[in-house]
Amino acid sequence: MIRSIETILVDVPTIRPHKLSVATMSTQTLVLVRIQCDDGVEGWGEATTIGGLNYGDESPESVKVNIDTHIAPLMIGMDARNVAAVMAKLRKTIQGNRFAKCAIETALLDAQARRLNIPLSELLGGRLRDELPVAWTLASGDTQKDIAEAETMLELRRHRIFKLKIGLRPVADDVAHVLAIKKALGDAVSVRVDVNQAWSELEAVNGIAALEAGGIDLIEQPIRAENKAGLARLAARFTVPMMADEALHGPLDALELATHAGADVFAVKIAQSGGLVPAQQVGAIAQLAGIELYGGTMLEGAVGTAASAHLFSTFPSLAFGTELFGPLLLTEELLVEPLVYQDFMLQVPNKPGLGIDIDRDKLALLRRR
């Protein structure tokens, strides 16, 4: 039986300002959920957001209030081993709250996999790979700083895929910034851009034409999420792949985009999809429609990153790699043994459950009072 559900806010400074078109982050608030069961097993999940309400319709504080006030009382006393029944009840009773539901589902699956003494990936059909390519986001906004940062990552053999956050400046300035970085780094690395919905469709046409000519590999969510028809027009017009991110809030959006050839690539995010199982459905729809996959992030800490890694390890194809660098952006480590990043890859944990152990002393020190 589910005995207790605790929601914990943890404020962690980032190693440098992280600039998006919608917000600049210098601190990330992790939302951790711990579920304790009558048999002594516990599970952990995460519901971390980017930039709070600047980015989406859930904030760390709203996630905590809604879990504590509305979601947890529905779950107490239910059979923790029957994850599907618990989640069916929540999805029927609670509207929206995708991030909160993701944390709950992750914690239940973590507990169940620990109970069965298997990695969480095995509950999702089984992994096809033990390591995942990881992109690094260059988001200082300063061209020379970004070039130096990328060169450091290459020397450390940590990343050879780089995604640039743009959209704050005029299109021509952003394009010049991106192409200068691409020229400096050369053809041995992949350079992509994430516009975070900042451009109009006309701006996107002009900007993407220049980026495509300059050898950029991928364009993420250049226009407003609700303009799905516009994204489809851009996908049809250009050779460089268009990736849906903010337009993709789970399986129904995935089905609509796939039906109308609305994107070449899906950025799969477990929180944005509403959980590991809905995110797996997004991946299945993409596979059936011939759409490529990219393992996205909400800049989660280690818990959400590990959960995402377990899911992404089960995807038959992951053509554009992943963006699971969230823990590397934080100044504090919350695990007893950190996740392993080496040779441009994240190693998928192989111990039971999520395969990680929370440092309880560090958590007690950093949690918001």
Side-chain angles (χ1 to χ4, degrees):
M1 297 292 187
I2 297 171
R3 190 174 73 219
S4 68
I5 301 165
E6 182 182 15
T7 314
I8 304 163
L9 301 184
V10 186
D11 298 306
V12 185
T14 57
I15 58 172
R16 54 140 168 83
H18 192 75
K19 294 184 178 179
L20 298 80
S21 67
V22 293
T24 297
M25 298 167 49
S26 55
T27 298
Q28 177 63 302
T29 300
L30 309 180
V31 185
L32 302 181
V33 172
R34 179 172 66 161
I35 295 180
Q36 293 181 292
C37 309
D38 277 348
D39 58 3
V41 177
E42 70 174 23
W44 289 83
E46 184 171 348
T48 295
T49 69
I50 294 177
L53 296 178
N54 292 113
Y55 182 89
D57 51 11
E58 289 175 78
S59 69
E61 294 78 14
S62 76
V63 170
K64 177 170 171 55
V65 167
N66 285 338
I67 290 177
D68 292 350
T69 308
H70 301 287
I71 295 174
L74 290 172
M75 298 172 57
I76 299 299
M78 291 190 74
D79 186 350
R81 295 168 300 177
N82 197 339
V83 180
V86 177
M87 293 311 301
K89 182 176 182 178
L90 292 188
R91 292 193 169 107
K92 181 179 180 181
T93 311
I94 303 292
Q95 303 306 307
N97 287 275
R98 300 187 313 280
F99 286 68
K101 288 171 181 171
C102 177
I104 294 291
E105 184 179 64
T106 299
L108 288 169
L109 289 170
D110 179 33
Q112 180 69 344
R114 289 174 188 268
R115 196 174 282 117
L116 297 172
N117 200 36
I118 57 174
L120 195 154
S121 55
E122 303 314 291
L123 287 183
L124 299 170
R127 67 178 64 186
L128 296 171
R129 53 183 70 81
D130 291 312
E131 55 184 16
L132 304 168
V134 180
W136 179 253
T137 294
L138 299 171
S140 76
D142 182 295
T143 304
Q144 293 309 313
K145 275 186 183 176
D146 281 354
I147 291 170
E149 191 173 295
E151 288 174 342
T152 299
M153 295 303 175
L154 289 165
E155 288 169 13
L156 293 172
R157 294 184 61 79
R158 217 175 70 179
H159 308 279
R160 57 187 169 200
I161 304 168
F162 298 100
K163 191 170 88 170
L164 277 63
K165 292 284 189 181
I166 61 174
L168 272 175
R169 297 176 290 200
V171 175
D173 293 349
D174 269 339
V175 167
H177 168 68
V178 172
L179 295 185
I181 292 171
K182 174 63 178 174
K183 184 177 180 182
L185 298 181
D187 293 333
V189 303
S190 173
V191 176
R192 298 103 181 257
V193 300
D194 184 0
V195 192
N196 283 125
Q197 313 179 71
W199 288 346
S200 69
E201 193 172 339
L202 181 58
E203 286 175 325
V205 167
N206 294 327
I208 293 166
L211 292 170
E212 181 176 88
I216 301 308
D217 294 333
L218 185 66
I219 312 292
E220 182 172 355
Q221 201 64 56
I223 59 176
R224 295 294 303 170
E226 57 268 22
N227 187 6
K228 290 190 173 79
L231 190 61
R233 285 190 289 270
L234 294 172
R237 180 167 186 156
F238 293 101
T239 302
V240 60
M242 297 297 132
M243 182 159 73
D245 176 16
E246 287 92 344
L248 191 56
H249 287 174
L252 289 177
D253 283 339
L255 183 60
E256 182 184 353
L257 286 164
T259 301
H260 297 100
D264 304 296
V265 185
F266 283 173
V268 184
K269 296 180 177 179
I270 63 171
Q272 200 146 277
S273 298
L276 287 160
V277 172
Q280 189 173 45
Q281 293 171 335
V282 170
I285 290 167
Q287 183 188 356
L288 292 170
I291 294 167
E292 298 293 354
L293 293 177
Y294 178 68
T297 182
M298 294 301 298
L299 298 181
E300 293 103 331
V303 174
T305 298
S308 299
H310 279 281
L311 173 63
F312 300 157
S313 76
T314 72
F315 287 164
S317 174
L318 201 58
F320 285 87
T322 78
E323 197 178 329
L324 296 180
F325 70 90
L328 300 174
L329 193 64
L330 304 178
T331 56
E332 299 285 351
E333 177 58 62
L334 279 173
L335 298 186
V336 175
E337 295 180 14
L339 294 171
V340 177
Y341 293 86
Q342 64 183 31
D343 293 329
F344 309 111
M345 299 283 193
L346 166 62
Q347 307 301 309
V348 184
N350 56 17
K351 293 191 292 187
L354 288 170
I356 58 177
D357 294 303
I358 303 292
D359 185 330
R360 309 302 172 106
D361 293 335
K362 183 65 74 70
L363 181 63
L365 189 68
L366 293 174
R367 67 181 294 166
R368 189 185 296 180
R369 302 300 171 189

